[in-house]
Amino acid sequence: MTTDTISPVIRLNPADNVGVARTAIPRGTAIAEGGEAVTARADIPSGHKVALRTIAPGEAVLKYGQTIGIATGTITPGDHVHLHNLAMQESHATHHFAEDARETPLLPESERRTFEGYVRPDGQVGTRNFIGIVTSVNCSATVARAIADHFNRGGGLEGYDNVDGVVALTHGTGCAINMKTEGYLYLQRVLSGYARNPNFAGILFIGLGCETNQIDPIVQKFGLTEGPLLRTMTIQNLGGTRKTIEVASGIIREMLPQVNAAKRTTVPLTGLKVALQCGGSDGYSGISANPALGYAADLIVQHGGTAVLSETPEIYGAEHLLTRRAVSAEVAQKLIDRIEWWRRYTERNGAELNNNPSHGNKLGGLTTILEKSLGAVAKGGSMPLEAVYEYGEIIDRTGFVFMDTPGYDPVAVTGQVAGGCNVIVFTTGRGSVSGFKPAPCIKVATNTEMYEHMSDDMDINCGDIVNGTDSIEAAGRRIFEKILAVASGEHTLSEDFGFGDNEFVPWQIGAVT
């Protein structure tokens, strides 16, 4: 089919009573899709929904063959379907536990791909070679930034071409928090997880000294071993900021020769943990970039690697698609337990799970969280769900897994990197410009217009899927090859800009006292 004869809308499932506009559709345009001919009764923005048949008040609006909400009044064929006539309803999806359970279909070892990575002493594999400065509390953030700036901008890394940089992991908490809360546990997990992430060859912990979140308990609780490449200090013990900067800089200079000596070697994809992310989603996300990333995630898993889906509020209403392919009822139940936790969490904070989609999502054509979730879950491909992890837990299984995180991208990625992810693939329809040191971030555009408008930031375009000149499979293979290239050292565009110093955002839960 040529682009001249292709329908102006995409109908994703024969049962759907709405289609998605491939481009902006002016009022009065004739639309033929699936044997139904309608005329646009309003201007339909690109990525937005148009009714393909009459939808009665209270009737389900169907996209992907799934309910995304209910009509708030009569919707006539050709109407623009969005916030004015489509409302959220509570998800009543039936959860079948492990109904489609199967073994992960791994390729024979002789057929599996490899990449060039840094093998660390604990057996993990890094895709980058950074030194990290982990701050226990916000009070040590300024000192950590000053040290990192000295090396990154002040010429302190001259002669150490194999060192990717020094990353200051600063945050806004660490004191005045209840040590018995989930928030405190999550903070400890995140800090220890970053210290163990294989993209860091060396780690320096810096605290103030009097904070609630003490460094020694973290080191002891999570089995971290101090040595030449893992050091700890506090500003108060060393006598102030200037002395701390001097001592810390000296310690990093001692680390540099050993870190610089690390070499990439050929390793199997069992050393690859890929964080699957989306942000600034639009009406095309679930049509182009997300399913293409899902195809790439399946390839990662089949070749022995790990693909990590997250953002629990953004699978709400689509979690039944994951429970079906859980490897066991226990894994499925753990996912449902996290959904129920979110119901309680949002209720006690006077919110609801449908406070998502965001303003930008809605401008891009997404109306309800059910619609957004059905598109977001497509990033997870089709492989069996091997495990469900709480926020920041170490990911100790290969294959397709899920981590419970908020939908807010920096917080979600922080949890995934704490869990061990060493590459991030981030789909976006509105345009995202984040980086996530120490993990390289590949940006995938859902539509060609945004890709061309923000070409300095987008690594891959999936927009041609929308106009019918590309396929999910072909785009998925491109993403897969890009992942292997980036894991082996090729820079992403966000890395070329030096992005990623400000997106370390541990999840804060609980009262600040």
Side-chain angles (χ1 to χ4, degrees):
M1 179 179 292
T2 68
T3 54
D4 292 333
T5 60
I6 200 167
S7 170
V9 301
I10 303 170
R11 190 180 207 157
L12 298 168
N13 186 289
D16 291 353
N17 49 22
V18 296
V20 178
R22 296 181 191 271
T23 60
I25 301 174
R27 179 177 181 175
T29 300
I31 300 169
E33 174 58 36
E36 298 184 60
V38 301
T39 299
R41 289 165 48 86
D43 291 335
I44 313 297
S46 176
H48 283 237
K49 296 175 290 296
V50 58
L52 299 178
R53 58 175 180 263
T54 300
I55 307 172
E59 184 181 347
V61 177
L62 300 177
K63 181 181 175 184
Y64 306 105
Q66 304 281 334
T67 299
I68 63 170
I70 58 171
T72 57
T74 300
I75 298 176
T76 301
D79 279 350
H80 180 205
V81 179
H82 199 34
L83 302 168
H84 59 288
N85 54 12
L86 170 59
M88 170 70 177
Q89 67 171 15
E90 189 72 15
S91 173
H92 299 293
T94 302
H95 299 113
H96 297 282
F97 283 13
E99 187 169 285
D100 298 332
R102 59 185 175 124
E103 290 188 6
T104 297
L106 294 170
L107 293 170
E109 288 193 25
S110 61
E111 298 178 17
R112 297 183 199 173
R113 298 287 295 278
T114 59
F115 72 101
E116 302 297 309
Y118 298 100
V119 179
R120 304 304 186 190
D122 63 359
Q124 293 190 91
V125 181
T127 65
R128 293 297 181 267
N129 199 36
F130 283 103
I131 293 173
I133 304 173
V134 178
T135 56
S136 62
V137 65
N138 180 255
C139 305
S140 57
T142 299
V143 165
R145 290 280 191 191
I147 298 163
D149 285 346
H150 166 71
F151 286 95
N152 296 327
R153 302 177 185 177
L157 294 178
E158 289 183 9
Y160 298 103
D161 296 340
N162 198 38
V163 179
D164 288 307
V166 178
V167 182
L169 300 166
T170 62
H171 54 92
T173 184
C175 204
I177 54 177
N178 188 330
M179 296 172 66
K180 297 180 181 179
T181 62
E182 291 164 310
Y184 181 65
L185 172 60
Y186 290 173
L187 179 61
Q188 285 193 315
R189 276 188 196 157
V190 164
L191 298 183
S192 64
Y194 268 70
R196 295 174 58 177
N197 188 284
N199 285 4
F200 283 126
I203 288 290
L204 175 61
F205 276 93
I206 299 181
L208 176 61
C210 59
E211 63 269 21
T212 303
N213 185 42
Q214 292 286 300
I215 293 173
D216 285 347
I218 296 174
V219 171
Q220 295 166 12
K221 179 178 180 179
F222 293 94
L224 303 175
T225 303
E226 291 196 59
L229 294 178
L230 196 155
R231 302 286 294 275
T232 66
M233 62 175 58
T234 66
I235 296 168
Q236 291 170 348
N237 186 54
L238 286 169
T241 56
R242 182 180 59 80
K243 292 176 182 177
T244 302
I245 291 170
E246 290 177 355
V247 173
S249 297
I251 287 173
I252 291 175
R253 281 192 291 271
E254 292 173 5
M255 291 182 179
L256 281 171
Q258 186 174 348
V259 174
N260 192 62
K263 302 296 182 185
R264 291 185 183 271
T265 58
T266 302
V267 292
L269 263 61
T270 50
L272 193 59
K273 291 183 173 68
V274 181
L276 312 174
Q277 273 293 325
C278 61
S281 300
D282 68 354
Y284 298 127
S285 294
I287 297 170
S288 62
N290 286 358
L293 177 53
Y295 189 91
D298 284 353
L299 292 176
I300 291 291
V301 169
Q302 288 175 309
H303 285 265
T306 302
V308 186
L309 187 64
S310 71
E311 299 182 295
T312 312
E314 297 187 9
I315 67 159
Y316 172 68
E319 72 276 1
H320 61 289
L321 303 177
L322 297 176
T323 58
R324 291 181 64 94
R325 53 187 171 114
V327 296
S328 68
E330 291 75 18
V331 170
Q333 184 61 56
K334 188 169 183 180
L335 181 62
I336 296 303
D337 289 344
R338 300 319 299 166
I339 295 286
E340 292 304 317
W341 182 93
W342 273 94
R343 291 182 193 272
R344 297 190 299 272
Y345 176 61
T346 52
E347 182 179 358
R348 72 176 182 253
N349 284 284
E352 58 181 20
L353 282 170
N354 198 40
N355 67 354
N356 198 326
S358 69
H359 173 72
N361 296 153
K362 292 171 182 177
L363 285 177
L366 296 174
T367 310
T368 69
I369 188 57
L370 300 181
E371 179 182 11
K372 185 176 181 181
S373 293
L374 289 163
V377 80
K379 301 192 304 293
S382 63
M383 291 293 109
L385 178 64
E386 297 280 354
V388 173
Y389 295 93
E390 293 189 21
Y391 186 77
E393 284 187 321
I394 296 297
I395 298 162
D396 56 3
R397 294 285 299 271
T398 58
F400 171 59
V401 302
F402 183 85
M403 177 177 283
D404 177 33
T405 75
Y408 184 41
D409 308 320
V411 179
V413 175
T414 296
Q416 289 172 303
V417 175
C421 288
N422 48 15
V423 173
I424 299 151
V425 185
F426 195 117
T427 67
T428 180
R430 306 294 293 175
S432 171
V433 296
S434 300
F436 300 96
K437 290 178 181 176
C441 182
I442 300 166
K443 295 295 193 324
V444 183
T446 72
N447 66 87
T448 301
E449 181 181 7
M450 187 276 291
Y451 173 79
E452 292 176 346
H453 185 61
M454 299 184 66
S455 59
D456 288 342
D457 298 282
M458 298 295 114
D459 295 286
I460 294 175
N461 180 31
C462 287
D464 288 339
I465 294 172
V466 176
N467 63 32
T469 61
D470 194 7
S471 69
I472 289 170
E473 295 79 6
R477 292 189 190 97
R478 290 200 307 276
I479 295 172
F480 175 69
E481 294 297 338
K482 187 70 171 182
I483 292 170
L484 299 192
V486 168
S488 299
E490 180 181 295
H491 270 204
T492 65
L493 292 176
S494 65
E495 286 185 290
D496 286 338
F497 281 123
F499 293 164
D501 290 306
N502 300 296
E503 290 85 355
F504 176 72
V505 187
W507 188 4
Q508 295 188 43
I509 300 177
V512 177
T513 58

